[in-house]
Amino acid sequence: MKITVFSAKAYDKEYLQQANRGFELAFIESRLNQQTVALAAGSQAICVFVNDQLDKAVLQELKMMGVQHIALRCAGFNNVDLEAARELGLQVSRVPAYSPEAVAEHTLALVLTLNRRLHKAYNRVKEGNFSLQGLLGFNLHGKTVGIIGTGRIGLATGRLFKGFGCQLLGHDPLPSDDWQAMGGQYCALQKLFSEADIVSLHCPLTPQTRHMINDQSLALMKDGVMLINTSRGGLIDTGAVIRSLKNRKIGYLGLDVYEMEGDLFFEDLSNQIIQDDLFQRLATFPNVLITGHQGFFTHEALSQIAATTMHNLYLAQQQRTDKTSFLV
Ligand code: NAI
């Protein structure tokens, strides 16, 4: 079976080749979209990542070329028109769980860096500036953390905050016993917004959750709140967040994802003029820390992603399915 791997970086090649189960892998650096879909010609399956576009038109092209299976090498699937895939008879698999700790630990890295201003301290010390002015932080111990989405990553993140002695408020339409066993409470979203010192987003991007962080929800939050998003950029209305940074409602913002990241992330644009004015405005705030969707980027996670992706492709080749990984 020939598989075209889109958005393939050197690390994707390395890990997928190591886990390969005898497939012919064709690596393409470009993202999948209507302009690049023709590159999948001759493949029975394709392998894609978070910013590849699998809208109806692209899926129709894939179907016409004879592609039968789409293997997402990620957990989120908001970039795939699943309804269209179903209608066209295209199978779609993903990697539902690889290493929730990878994203949870990155979430804590953002929290600790923002709080203790490590990004500033690093540069200061390099320049021989040992002043502490402006580096004042707060103890995490005793603070209230609101986790929206207490699934795999939300739970792993809760455990880490628990280790710091934080109180945990959770909100999820599907409450889990594990969350409560760990000492977390569940509450309505309004209560979480109004009581949390730190709000961390861990739910999927769906039509219901899109822009859940907006002018109204921000108004409910504590002055100086720390907001962290390592889930999907579309959960946040970026314009509303910029307004709340300007009027100091938000005291700290940590982002690993961004609404329009498809035009920016995973590429070296250091010699280009970035045209996204919202992103550029965000990056100017001293209390904003942005990383380019690297929460998943650990050795353990990449190994697991590659192994599960190959397993999904193997099942597809055998005309077998697996309820946990197969979306269609
Ligand atoms: P999961 O499926 O285990 O948990 C998601 C939870 O969100 C579920 O418990 C679900 O009931 C809950 N949820 C759904 N709608 C909700 C709502 N309206 N309000 C509150 N909770 C809601 O997924 P997992 O593995 O924990 O991943 C969470 C998200 O993290 C993914 O959807 C993905 O977008 C993101 N992610 C980010 C990565 C990164 O590198 N930054 C890597 C992997 C995932």
Side-chain angles (χ1 to χ4, degrees):
M1 182 154 92
K2 182 179 170 192
I3 300 155
T4 300
V5 182
F6 283 92
S7 302
K9 302 287 180 202
Y11 47 83
D12 292 308
K13 287 183 198 171
E14 185 187 332
Y15 282 86
L16 287 170
Q17 269 164 346
Q18 269 170 25
N20 190 8
R21 297 176 69 164
F23 301 116
E24 181 189 342
L25 301 178
F27 293 100
I28 308 266
E29 279 190 31
S30 314
R31 286 205 185 126
L32 173 63
N33 54 37
Q34 289 184 33
Q35 286 73 50
T36 60
V37 62
L39 297 169
S43 307
Q44 289 74 54
I46 60 163
C47 177
V48 294
F49 196 49
V50 291
N51 289 322
D52 289 305
Q53 282 169 25
L54 293 114
D55 54 24
K56 192 169 185 172
V58 168
L59 294 173
Q60 280 169 336
E61 284 278 329
L62 289 169
K63 178 72 185 180
M64 280 194 309
M65 280 175 202
V67 169
Q68 290 147 21
H69 188 90
I70 296 162
L72 291 158
R73 54 181 191 281
C74 54
F77 49 87
N78 50 285
N79 53 335
V80 190
D81 184 341
L82 288 182
E83 213 31 67
R86 206 166 280 127
E87 279 167 22
L88 290 163
L90 282 167
Q91 222 176 25
V92 182
S93 65
R94 64 169 180 147
V95 184
Y98 39 93
S99 175
E101 288 76 19
V103 184
E105 289 171 17
H106 190 71
T107 303
L108 262 292
L110 290 174
V111 170
L112 292 169
T113 305
L114 275 168
N115 175 16
R116 307 307 288 265
R117 302 177 206 268
L118 300 184
H119 51 312
K120 288 176 176 285
Y122 172 81
N123 286 323
R124 278 194 195 181
V125 170
K126 280 215 152 209
E127 290 179 6
N129 174 359
F130 303 100
S131 161
L132 300 183
Q133 194 62 40
L135 300 184
L136 191 66
F138 60 84
N139 284 7
L140 282 180
H141 186 91
K143 293 294 179 297
T144 299
V145 179
I147 302 269
I148 301 180
T150 59
R152 283 170 280 243
I153 296 172
L155 183 66
T157 306
R159 282 204 183 97
L160 298 180
F161 278 116
K162 195 77 193 158
F164 280 88
C166 297
Q167 309 295 319
L168 296 175
L169 293 178
H171 178 80
D172 195 309
L174 298 173
S176 94
D177 294 341
D178 290 344
W179 174 259
Q180 281 156 309
M182 193 242 315
Q185 289 174 34
Y186 278 113
C187 67
L189 211 45
Q190 277 85 345
K191 180 175 156 80
L192 184 151
F193 285 143
S194 59
E195 294 188 9
D197 301 293
I198 299 172
V199 173
S200 193
L201 308 180
H202 300 286
C203 59
L205 176 61
T206 64
Q208 292 74 41
T209 61
R210 187 172 174 272
H211 285 189
M212 71 188 311
I213 303 299
N214 52 35
D215 286 313
Q216 289 73 39
S217 51
L218 285 161
L220 296 172
M221 293 185 201
K222 283 188 175 176
D223 290 342
V225 67
M226 181 186 283
L227 177 64
I228 305 288
N229 187 8
T230 57
S231 190
R232 283 292 180 268
L235 297 175
I236 289 183
D237 174 348
T238 309
V241 154
I242 289 174
R243 285 189 283 282
S244 292
L245 282 159
K246 285 168 85 173
N247 67 23
R248 296 174 190 272
K249 168 58 96 176
I250 296 180
Y252 312 79
L253 177 67
L255 300 179
D256 186 47
V257 287
Y258 167 64
E259 216 175 347
M260 270 77 73
E261 69 177 51
D263 296 331
L264 302 172
F265 286 8
F266 306 118
E267 306 302 331
D268 178 0
L269 305 181
S270 53
N271 284 320
Q272 296 189 27
I273 306 296
I274 291 179
Q275 301 295 328
D276 183 335
D277 292 346
L278 273 187
F279 182 83
Q280 292 300 77
R281 181 66 182 104
L282 265 188
T284 63
F285 293 97
N287 50 351
V288 172
L289 181 60
I290 308 173
T291 53
H293 208 138
Q294 68 175 82
F296 73 99
F297 202 56
T298 67
H299 165 70
E300 290 77 2
L302 289 193
S303 307
Q304 191 58 50
I305 289 170
T308 306
T309 302
M310 287 300 159
H311 180 67
N312 289 341
L313 287 161
Y314 173 77
L315 288 180
Q317 190 185 36
Q318 304 284 311
Q319 300 192 333
R320 285 159 56 199
T321 59
D322 168 356
K323 260 201 238 150
T324 55
S325 320
F326 281 60
L327 297 161
V328 179

